[in-house]
Amino acid sequence: MAYGLLNGKRGIISGALDEKSIAWKVALKAKEEGATFTLTNAPIAMRMGAIKQLAEHCNAEIIPADATSVEDLENLFTKSTEILGGKVDFVLHSIGMSPNIRKGKAYTDLNYDWFKQSIDISALSFHKMMQTAHKLDAISEWGSVVALTYMAAQRTFPFYTDMADAKAVLESIARSFGYRYGKSHKVRVNTISQSPTPTTAGGGIGGFDKFYDFADKTAPLGNATADQCADYCITMFSDLTRMVTMQNLFHDGGFSMTGISEEIMELINKEQ
Ligand code: NAI
């Protein structure tokens, strides 16, 4: 059911790779809720082609941008405001990649060039997006910027390796930029910390199935789906959450506040 929460709002949605992507679901819901927006992804992701179907369905233009390139981001914000007919009201940062994880490097044996890439793609890109938008004055007053993150920024998960550090930087950037953007333009900035979700990025983490099950059995409500994450993003883009900024918002069925659940205790009992 649609509520018209984004009627008349303009936005930019990054990171829709295929229909499993959280950003894909956000785009579908943003369209249902009345928004117009542009879609963006790294030029290499365009070659896979799926984003074109999404763009057709949403009547949205695609503007390729490598999120580590300030030049690409300048083009993204300039073109988006031209195409959409004004400043944007919301921006979704849904971008993450670690070459160390892709290549199975342990945290005690990281390749530092790849580590820099992980941080650049997954965290600094968020700063670059906002700095570019700020300089171009491309986001309206009371606009909302959201990035997706994971709880490994606060607690250790063995296979999340350097992405944990990237997410910690990402969440810190939300606070630091959120303060400044709030003061200067009343723009709010938040991160949503989502449950493990079976997507291309999520599934790439070693042992994903096991920690997906562990989180599902620990959280009193179970894991939050990509669709439910999209619902939360929409509320954060809407005017109903105007005074929320600089927060890391857990969207994880209660996982982050649970020590141990009865289900996990039963599993341990069975093993004894
Ligand atoms: P996904 O693989 O569908 O999305 C990741 C996106 O990042 C892809 O569209 C990819 O093309 C894009 N990307 C990579 N390098 C880029 C670059 N240089 N420039 C622009 N875009 C680039 O996976 P998912 O899960 O939808 O990921 C979206 C966000 O959600 C990521 O930040 C991820 O860390 C976060 N997240 C995912 C969770 C999960 O379990 N899947 C849990 C919590 C957070």
Short mmCIF file of all heavy atoms in Angstrom, two decimals, residues 15-63:
data_model
loop_
_atom_site.label_atom_id
_atom_site.label_comp_id
_atom_site.label_asym_id
_atom_site.label_seq_id
_atom_site.Cartn_x
_atom_site.Cartn_y
_atom_site.Cartn_z
N GLY A 15 23.48 2.29 -6.33
CA GLY A 15 23.70 0.92 -5.87
C GLY A 15 22.72 -0.17 -6.28
O GLY A 15 22.80 -1.27 -5.77
N ALA A 16 21.81 0.12 -7.23
CA ALA A 16 20.90 -0.95 -7.69
C ALA A 16 21.62 -1.78 -8.75
O ALA A 16 21.79 -1.34 -9.88
CB ALA A 16 19.61 -0.36 -8.24
N LEU A 17 22.08 -2.96 -8.37
CA LEU A 17 22.84 -3.82 -9.28
C LEU A 17 21.90 -4.83 -9.95
O LEU A 17 21.94 -5.05 -11.15
CB LEU A 17 23.91 -4.55 -8.49
CG LEU A 17 24.83 -5.50 -9.24
CD1 LEU A 17 25.71 -4.72 -10.20
CD2 LEU A 17 25.69 -6.30 -8.27
N ASP A 18 21.07 -5.48 -9.14
CA ASP A 18 20.09 -6.45 -9.65
C ASP A 18 18.91 -6.45 -8.70
O ASP A 18 18.90 -5.72 -7.72
CB ASP A 18 20.72 -7.84 -9.78
CG ASP A 18 21.30 -8.33 -8.47
OD1 ASP A 18 20.75 -8.00 -7.42
OD2 ASP A 18 22.33 -9.03 -8.50
N GLU A 19 17.93 -7.31 -8.98
CA GLU A 19 16.68 -7.18 -8.20
C GLU A 19 16.81 -7.60 -6.75
O GLU A 19 15.91 -7.36 -5.96
CB GLU A 19 15.50 -7.86 -8.90
CG GLU A 19 15.73 -9.29 -9.22
CD GLU A 19 14.64 -9.85 -10.13
OE1 GLU A 19 13.87 -9.05 -10.71
OE2 GLU A 19 14.57 -11.07 -10.24
N LYS A 20 17.98 -8.19 -6.38
CA LYS A 20 18.20 -8.50 -4.96
C LYS A 20 18.71 -7.27 -4.19
O LYS A 20 18.61 -7.21 -2.97
CB LYS A 20 19.22 -9.64 -4.82
CG LYS A 20 18.65 -11.00 -5.22
CD LYS A 20 19.67 -12.09 -4.99
CE LYS A 20 20.68 -12.04 -6.06
NZ LYS A 20 21.85 -12.68 -6.20
N SER A 21 19.29 -6.32 -4.91
CA SER A 21 19.91 -5.15 -4.26
C SER A 21 18.91 -4.39 -3.39
O SER A 21 17.76 -4.19 -3.80
CB SER A 21 20.42 -4.14 -5.30
OG SER A 21 21.37 -4.72 -6.14
N ILE A 22 19.38 -3.93 -2.24
CA ILE A 22 18.51 -3.14 -1.37
C ILE A 22 18.08 -1.87 -2.13
O ILE A 22 16.91 -1.47 -2.08
CB ILE A 22 19.23 -2.80 -0.04
CG1 ILE A 22 19.58 -4.11 0.71
CG2 ILE A 22 18.37 -1.90 0.83
CD1 ILE A 22 20.52 -3.96 1.88
N ALA A 23 19.01 -1.27 -2.88
CA ALA A 23 18.70 -0.04 -3.62
C ALA A 23 17.60 -0.26 -4.66
O ALA A 23 16.82 0.65 -4.97
CB ALA A 23 19.96 0.49 -4.29
N TRP A 24 17.56 -1.46 -5.23
CA TRP A 24 16.53 -1.79 -6.22
C TRP A 24 15.15 -1.67 -5.57
O TRP A 24 14.22 -1.07 -6.13
CB TRP A 24 16.77 -3.22 -6.70
CG TRP A 24 15.95 -3.68 -7.86
CD1 TRP A 24 14.62 -4.04 -7.84
CD2 TRP A 24 16.40 -3.87 -9.21
NE1 TRP A 24 14.24 -4.45 -9.09
CE2 TRP A 24 15.30 -4.36 -9.94
CE3 TRP A 24 17.63 -3.70 -9.85
CZ2 TRP A 24 15.38 -4.67 -11.30
CZ3 TRP A 24 17.72 -4.01 -11.21
CH2 TRP A 24 16.61 -4.47 -11.92
N LYS A 25 15.04 -2.24 -4.36
CA LYS A 25 13.75 -2.21 -3.63
C LYS A 25 13.41 -0.77 -3.24
O LYS A 25 12.25 -0.38 -3.26
CB LYS A 25 13.82 -3.06 -2.36
CG LYS A 25 14.49 -4.40 -2.51
CD LYS A 25 13.55 -5.43 -3.05
CE LYS A 25 14.25 -6.79 -3.10
NZ LYS A 25 13.52 -7.77 -3.84
N VAL A 26 14.44 0.00 -2.89
CA VAL A 26 14.19 1.40 -2.52
C VAL A 26 13.64 2.15 -3.73
O VAL A 26 12.67 2.93 -3.61
CB VAL A 26 15.48 2.09 -2.00
CG1 VAL A 26 15.24 3.58 -1.73
CG2 VAL A 26 15.99 1.40 -0.73
N ALA A 27 14.20 1.89 -4.91
CA ALA A 27 13.74 2.57 -6.12
C ALA A 27 12.28 2.23 -6.39
O ALA A 27 11.47 3.12 -6.67
CB ALA A 27 14.63 2.18 -7.31
N LEU A 28 11.92 0.95 -6.28
CA LEU A 28 10.53 0.55 -6.55
C LEU A 28 9.57 1.26 -5.58
O LEU A 28 8.53 1.76 -5.98
CB LEU A 28 10.36 -0.97 -6.42
CG LEU A 28 11.09 -1.83 -7.47
CD1 LEU A 28 10.84 -3.31 -7.20
CD2 LEU A 28 10.63 -1.47 -8.89
N LYS A 29 9.98 1.32 -4.30
CA LYS A 29 9.09 1.93 -3.31
C LYS A 29 9.06 3.45 -3.46
O LYS A 29 8.01 4.07 -3.25
CB LYS A 29 9.51 1.53 -1.89
CG LYS A 29 9.07 0.10 -1.59
CD LYS A 29 9.29 -0.31 -0.17
CE LYS A 29 9.23 -1.81 -0.03
NZ LYS A 29 7.88 -2.33 0.12
N ALA A 30 10.19 4.04 -3.80
CA ALA A 30 10.22 5.50 -3.98
C ALA A 30 9.27 5.89 -5.12
O ALA A 30 8.54 6.89 -5.04
CB ALA A 30 11.64 5.97 -4.27
N LYS A 31 9.27 5.08 -6.16
CA LYS A 31 8.37 5.32 -7.30
C LYS A 31 6.91 5.20 -6.83
O LYS A 31 6.09 6.09 -7.09
CB LYS A 31 8.69 4.27 -8.38
CG LYS A 31 7.68 4.12 -9.47
CD LYS A 31 7.93 5.11 -10.57
CE LYS A 31 6.94 4.93 -11.69
NZ LYS A 31 6.68 6.16 -12.42
N GLU A 32 6.61 4.12 -6.10
CA GLU A 32 5.24 3.91 -5.58
C GLU A 32 4.79 5.07 -4.71
O GLU A 32 3.62 5.43 -4.70
CB GLU A 32 5.24 2.68 -4.65
CG GLU A 32 4.79 1.39 -5.28
CD GLU A 32 5.00 0.24 -4.28
OE1 GLU A 32 4.57 0.36 -3.11
OE2 GLU A 32 5.63 -0.73 -4.69
N GLU A 33 5.75 5.65 -3.97
CA GLU A 33 5.40 6.72 -3.02
C GLU A 33 5.40 8.10 -3.68
O GLU A 33 5.27 9.11 -2.99
CB GLU A 33 6.36 6.70 -1.82
CG GLU A 33 6.20 5.47 -0.93
CD GLU A 33 4.82 5.38 -0.25
OE1 GLU A 33 4.17 6.41 -0.05
OE2 GLU A 33 4.41 4.25 0.07
N GLY A 34 5.60 8.15 -5.00
CA GLY A 34 5.40 9.40 -5.72
C GLY A 34 6.64 10.20 -6.05
O GLY A 34 6.53 11.33 -6.55
N ALA A 35 7.84 9.62 -5.82
CA ALA A 35 9.08 10.39 -6.09
C ALA A 35 9.49 10.27 -7.56
O ALA A 35 9.13 9.31 -8.24
CB ALA A 35 10.20 9.85 -5.22
N THR A 36 10.26 11.26 -8.01
CA THR A 36 10.99 11.12 -9.27
C THR A 36 12.47 11.11 -8.89
O THR A 36 12.87 11.79 -7.94
CB THR A 36 10.72 12.27 -10.26
OG1 THR A 36 10.96 13.51 -9.59
CG2 THR A 36 9.31 12.22 -10.80
N PHE A 37 13.26 10.33 -9.62
CA PHE A 37 14.66 10.20 -9.22
C PHE A 37 15.52 9.73 -10.40
O PHE A 37 15.00 9.26 -11.40
CB PHE A 37 14.80 9.22 -8.05
CG PHE A 37 14.09 7.91 -8.25
CD1 PHE A 37 14.67 6.85 -8.91
CD2 PHE A 37 12.78 7.76 -7.78
CE1 PHE A 37 13.99 5.65 -9.09
CE2 PHE A 37 12.09 6.56 -7.96
CZ PHE A 37 12.70 5.50 -8.62
N THR A 38 16.84 9.90 -10.21
CA THR A 38 17.79 9.31 -11.14
C THR A 38 18.43 8.10 -10.45
O THR A 38 18.46 8.03 -9.22
CB THR A 38 18.90 10.31 -11.54
OG1 THR A 38 19.52 10.80 -10.36
CG2 THR A 38 18.34 11.46 -12.35
N LEU A 39 18.91 7.17 -11.27
CA LEU A 39 19.61 5.99 -10.76
C LEU A 39 21.07 6.11 -11.14
O LEU A 39 21.39 6.60 -12.23
CB LEU A 39 19.04 4.73 -11.41
CG LEU A 39 17.59 4.37 -11.06
CD1 LEU A 39 17.08 3.29 -12.00
CD2 LEU A 39 17.50 3.89 -9.60
N THR A 40 21.95 5.65 -10.25
CA THR A 40 23.37 5.68 -10.59
C THR A 40 24.07 4.42 -10.08
O THR A 40 23.64 3.81 -9.11
CB THR A 40 24.06 6.94 -10.02
OG1 THR A 40 25.43 6.94 -10.45
CG2 THR A 40 24.02 6.98 -8.50
N ASN A 41 25.11 4.05 -10.79
CA ASN A 41 25.96 2.94 -10.36
C ASN A 41 27.31 3.09 -11.06
O ASN A 41 27.46 3.93 -11.95
CB ASN A 41 25.30 1.59 -10.68
CG ASN A 41 25.72 0.50 -9.69
OD1 ASN A 41 26.84 0.49 -9.19
ND2 ASN A 41 24.81 -0.40 -9.39
N ALA A 42 28.27 2.27 -10.64
CA ALA A 42 29.59 2.31 -11.26
C ALA A 42 29.44 1.91 -12.73
O ALA A 42 28.63 1.02 -13.04
CB ALA A 42 30.52 1.36 -10.55
N PRO A 43 30.22 2.54 -13.63
CA PRO A 43 30.11 2.19 -15.05
C PRO A 43 30.19 0.68 -15.29
O PRO A 43 29.46 0.15 -16.13
CB PRO A 43 31.29 2.93 -15.69
CG PRO A 43 31.52 4.10 -14.77
CD PRO A 43 31.16 3.63 -13.39
N ILE A 44 30.98 -0.03 -14.52
CA ILE A 44 31.13 -1.48 -14.72
C ILE A 44 29.82 -2.23 -14.44
O ILE A 44 29.49 -3.22 -15.10
CB ILE A 44 32.31 -2.04 -13.87
CG1 ILE A 44 32.66 -3.45 -14.32
CG2 ILE A 44 32.05 -2.02 -12.39
CD1 ILE A 44 34.03 -3.90 -13.84
N ALA A 45 29.03 -1.73 -13.49
CA ALA A 45 27.75 -2.37 -13.15
C ALA A 45 26.74 -2.20 -14.27
O ALA A 45 25.83 -3.02 -14.43
CB ALA A 45 27.22 -1.79 -11.85
N MET A 46 26.91 -1.12 -15.06
CA MET A 46 25.99 -0.86 -16.19
C MET A 46 26.04 -1.99 -17.20
O MET A 46 25.05 -2.32 -17.83
CB MET A 46 26.38 0.40 -16.96
CG MET A 46 26.47 1.62 -16.16
SD MET A 46 24.85 2.08 -15.62
CE MET A 46 25.24 2.95 -14.16
N ARG A 47 27.26 -2.54 -17.34
CA ARG A 47 27.44 -3.56 -18.38
C ARG A 47 26.58 -4.77 -18.10
O ARG A 47 26.25 -5.53 -18.99
CB ARG A 47 28.91 -3.95 -18.48
CG ARG A 47 29.66 -2.96 -19.33
CD ARG A 47 31.09 -3.39 -19.53
NE ARG A 47 31.96 -2.29 -19.13
CZ ARG A 47 33.10 -2.43 -18.50
NH1 ARG A 47 33.53 -3.62 -18.16
NH2 ARG A 47 33.82 -1.39 -18.20
N MET A 48 26.24 -4.97 -16.83
CA MET A 48 25.41 -6.13 -16.52
C MET A 48 23.96 -5.92 -16.95
O MET A 48 23.20 -6.88 -17.07
CB MET A 48 25.53 -6.47 -15.03
CG MET A 48 26.93 -6.99 -14.76
SD MET A 48 27.53 -6.56 -13.19
CE MET A 48 27.24 -8.11 -12.40
N GLY A 49 23.61 -4.66 -17.14
CA GLY A 49 22.36 -4.38 -17.85
C GLY A 49 21.08 -4.37 -17.05
O GLY A 49 20.11 -3.76 -17.48
N ALA A 50 21.03 -5.05 -15.89
CA ALA A 50 19.76 -5.18 -15.18
C ALA A 50 19.18 -3.82 -14.80
O ALA A 50 17.96 -3.64 -14.80
CB ALA A 50 19.95 -6.03 -13.93
N ILE A 51 20.04 -2.87 -14.50
CA ILE A 51 19.58 -1.56 -14.04
C ILE A 51 18.68 -0.88 -15.09
O ILE A 51 17.81 -0.09 -14.75
CB ILE A 51 20.78 -0.66 -13.63
CG1 ILE A 51 20.31 0.55 -12.83
CG2 ILE A 51 21.62 -0.27 -14.81
CD1 ILE A 51 21.42 1.42 -12.25
N LYS A 52 18.89 -1.25 -16.36
CA LYS A 52 18.08 -0.63 -17.42
C LYS A 52 16.60 -1.00 -17.28
O LYS A 52 15.73 -0.17 -17.51
CB LYS A 52 18.61 -1.04 -18.80
CG LYS A 52 19.95 -0.43 -19.09
CD LYS A 52 20.36 -0.52 -20.55
CE LYS A 52 21.79 -0.03 -20.70
NZ LYS A 52 22.73 -1.11 -21.03
N GLN A 53 16.35 -2.26 -16.88
CA GLN A 53 14.94 -2.67 -16.67
C GLN A 53 14.32 -1.84 -15.54
O GLN A 53 13.17 -1.41 -15.62
CB GLN A 53 14.85 -4.13 -16.22
CG GLN A 53 15.32 -5.14 -17.24
CD GLN A 53 15.64 -6.47 -16.54
OE1 GLN A 53 15.07 -6.80 -15.51
NE2 GLN A 53 16.57 -7.23 -17.11
N LEU A 54 15.10 -1.65 -14.48
CA LEU A 54 14.61 -0.88 -13.34
C LEU A 54 14.32 0.56 -13.78
O LEU A 54 13.27 1.13 -13.43
CB LEU A 54 15.64 -0.89 -12.20
CG LEU A 54 15.27 -0.11 -10.95
CD1 LEU A 54 14.11 -0.79 -10.22
CD2 LEU A 54 16.46 0.02 -10.00
N ALA A 55 15.24 1.12 -14.57
CA ALA A 55 15.08 2.50 -15.03
C ALA A 55 13.81 2.65 -15.86
O ALA A 55 13.05 3.61 -15.70
CB ALA A 55 16.30 2.92 -15.83
N GLU A 56 13.56 1.66 -16.73
CA GLU A 56 12.34 1.72 -17.56
C GLU A 56 11.11 1.67 -16.68
O GLU A 56 10.18 2.46 -16.84
CB GLU A 56 12.31 0.55 -18.54
CG GLU A 56 12.99 0.88 -19.85
CD GLU A 56 13.22 -0.34 -20.70
OE1 GLU A 56 12.38 -1.26 -20.67
OE2 GLU A 56 14.28 -0.37 -21.38
N HIS A 57 11.13 0.73 -15.74
CA HIS A 57 9.97 0.57 -14.85
C HIS A 57 9.70 1.85 -14.05
O HIS A 57 8.55 2.22 -13.83
CB HIS A 57 10.22 -0.61 -13.90
CG HIS A 57 9.11 -0.83 -12.94
ND1 HIS A 57 8.01 -1.61 -13.24
CD2 HIS A 57 8.88 -0.34 -11.70
CE1 HIS A 57 7.18 -1.60 -12.22
NE2 HIS A 57 7.68 -0.85 -11.27
N CYS A 58 10.77 2.50 -13.62
CA CYS A 58 10.62 3.68 -12.75
C CYS A 58 10.60 4.99 -13.54
O CYS A 58 10.51 6.06 -12.94
CB CYS A 58 11.76 3.75 -11.73
SG CYS A 58 11.77 2.37 -10.60
N ASN A 59 10.71 4.88 -14.85
CA ASN A 59 10.78 6.08 -15.68
C ASN A 59 11.90 7.01 -15.20
O ASN A 59 11.71 8.22 -15.06
CB ASN A 59 9.40 6.79 -15.63
CG ASN A 59 9.22 7.71 -16.80
OD1 ASN A 59 9.96 7.62 -17.78
ND2 ASN A 59 8.26 8.61 -16.69
N ALA A 60 13.04 6.39 -14.92
CA ALA A 60 14.18 7.14 -14.35
C ALA A 60 15.36 7.10 -15.31
O ALA A 60 15.55 6.11 -16.01
CB ALA A 60 14.59 6.51 -13.03
N GLU A 61 16.13 8.18 -15.32
CA GLU A 61 17.36 8.15 -16.14
C GLU A 61 18.50 7.58 -15.32
O GLU A 61 18.55 7.75 -14.09
CB GLU A 61 17.70 9.56 -16.62
CG GLU A 61 16.76 9.95 -17.74
CD GLU A 61 17.33 11.05 -18.62
OE1 GLU A 61 18.57 11.11 -18.84
OE2 GLU A 61 16.51 11.85 -19.09
N ILE A 62 19.44 6.92 -16.04
CA ILE A 62 20.62 6.36 -15.37
C ILE A 62 21.80 7.29 -15.64
O ILE A 62 22.05 7.66 -16.80
CB ILE A 62 20.96 4.97 -15.95
CG1 ILE A 62 19.76 4.03 -15.86
CG2 ILE A 62 22.17 4.37 -15.26
CD1 ILE A 62 19.96 2.72 -16.62
N ILE A 63 22.51 7.65 -14.58
CA ILE A 63 23.73 8.46 -14.75
C ILE A 63 24.89 7.67 -14.15
O ILE A 63 25.02 7.58 -12.93
CB ILE A 63 23.58 9.83 -14.06
CG1 ILE A 63 22.33 10.53 -14.58
CG2 ILE A 63 24.83 10.68 -14.27
CD1 ILE A 63 21.95 11.78 -13.83
#
